[in-house]
Amino acid sequence: MKRKSTVLRILDTLKTMYPDAVCSLTYEKDYELLFATRLSAQCTDARVNLVTPQLFDAYPTLEAFANASAADVGEIIRSCGLYQTKARDLVACAKMLVEEYGGRVPDTMEALTRLPGVGRKTANLILGDIFHKPAIVADTHCIRIAGRLGLTDGTKDPLKVEKQLRQTIPPAEGSDFCHRLVLHGRALCMARTPNCAVCALKGDCDYAKSRKIK
């Protein structure tokens, strides 16, 4: 594991590289981010952002979603993949939010993960972006890049990555850190062909050092 000084330097470098640490999913209401994140499973954020304007126009309130036909929702989100399962989850989630949570998105991990289709990754995104609570979103970019940097032991298990990063990353930095890893994963640290030679993190990156990148 990295020394604290090295971790802080990595965080500062990422801040310089990606000063705007924001979620790439577009939304206006809390539940819209929740639903957009569900749609993003095995789908790009860019595709989700093309679909959600029509979806949220068709169902402008949480109550409208709760009363919607899953089949009709599915037709709108078909291009996101796994649309039948996702549509059922969105309608069921809306019903639970209306009936059990007074139409509000809950602010705890326990309550969020009770919602249909919501796992820890989605819950952490909501906790960090909506409620500004400490959060680690262990998505594919986070898992890959944290392992390459040496901030984790290289495990691919999302829960283990989350736990290891919670021990390493200052709580107030976690959410923005994960957003920056997504940006970094798209820009330079791709899964198959990372561009280590031009990466400002290469001096602190175990993967770059293993490749003897200078």
Side-chain angles (χ1 to χ4, degrees), residues 28-105:
E28 294 181 0
K29 303 171 184 176
D30 294 357
Y31 73 82
E32 290 181 350
L33 178 59
L34 184 68
F35 290 0
T37 306
R38 178 67 187 99
L39 294 181
S40 70
Q42 299 184 43
C43 180
T44 65
D45 289 356
R47 167 54 57 184
V48 173
N49 288 338
L50 290 175
V51 170
T52 49
Q54 180 185 355
L55 179 66
F56 297 148
D57 281 346
Y59 305 101
T61 66
L62 195 56
E63 289 74 15
F65 267 109
N67 292 314
S69 158
D72 291 342
V73 173
E75 286 304 308
I76 297 175
I77 66 171
R78 178 184 287 267
S79 64
C80 291
L82 304 174
Y83 67 95
Q84 292 175 322
T85 299
K86 291 178 180 179
R88 287 196 297 269
D89 284 345
L90 295 191
V91 173
C93 184
K95 287 181 178 179
M96 184 177 287
L97 288 174
V98 170
E99 295 172 2
E100 298 189 30
Y101 294 103
R104 300 182 65 85
V105 175

Side-chain angles (χ1 to χ4, degrees), residues 50-211:
L50 290 175
V51 170
T52 49
Q54 180 185 355
L55 179 66
F56 297 148
D57 281 346
Y59 305 101
T61 66
L62 195 56
E63 289 74 15
F65 267 109
N67 292 314
S69 158
D72 291 342
V73 173
E75 286 304 308
I76 297 175
I77 66 171
R78 178 184 287 267
S79 64
C80 291
L82 304 174
Y83 67 95
Q84 292 175 322
T85 299
K86 291 178 180 179
R88 287 196 297 269
D89 284 345
L90 295 191
V91 173
C93 184
K95 287 181 178 179
M96 184 177 287
L97 288 174
V98 170
E99 295 172 2
E100 298 189 30
Y101 294 103
R104 300 182 65 85
V105 175
D107 63 352
T108 67
M109 176 65 71
E110 293 73 21
L112 283 164
T113 52
R114 287 188 63 234
L115 298 171
V118 177
R120 289 190 67 88
K121 183 178 75 172
T122 297
N124 270 305
L125 180 67
I126 297 300
L127 291 173
D129 279 37
I130 300 299
F131 298 107
H132 309 294
K133 293 186 175 185
I136 294 292
V137 182
D139 65 2
T140 182
H141 295 290
C142 176
I143 292 169
R144 179 178 73 255
I145 299 171
R148 286 176 174 174
L149 286 169
L151 296 174
T152 67
D153 63 10
T155 179
K156 305 299 183 184
D157 181 273
L159 182 56
K160 291 181 179 178
V161 169
E162 179 187 335
K163 289 181 177 180
Q164 290 178 25
L165 288 178
R166 285 186 184 276
Q167 295 176 349
T168 305
I169 306 300
E173 302 273 6
S175 184
D176 287 349
F177 166 75
C178 292
H179 283 317
R180 291 187 172 103
L181 290 192
V182 171
L183 297 173
H184 190 53
R186 292 172 178 167
L188 292 175
C189 198
M190 290 75 75
R192 294 185 180 181
T193 55
N195 196 351
C196 300
V198 300
C199 181
L201 290 167
K202 61 186 177 183
D204 290 315
C205 177
D206 290 358
Y207 181 79
K209 290 178 181 178
S210 72
R211 297 179 64 195

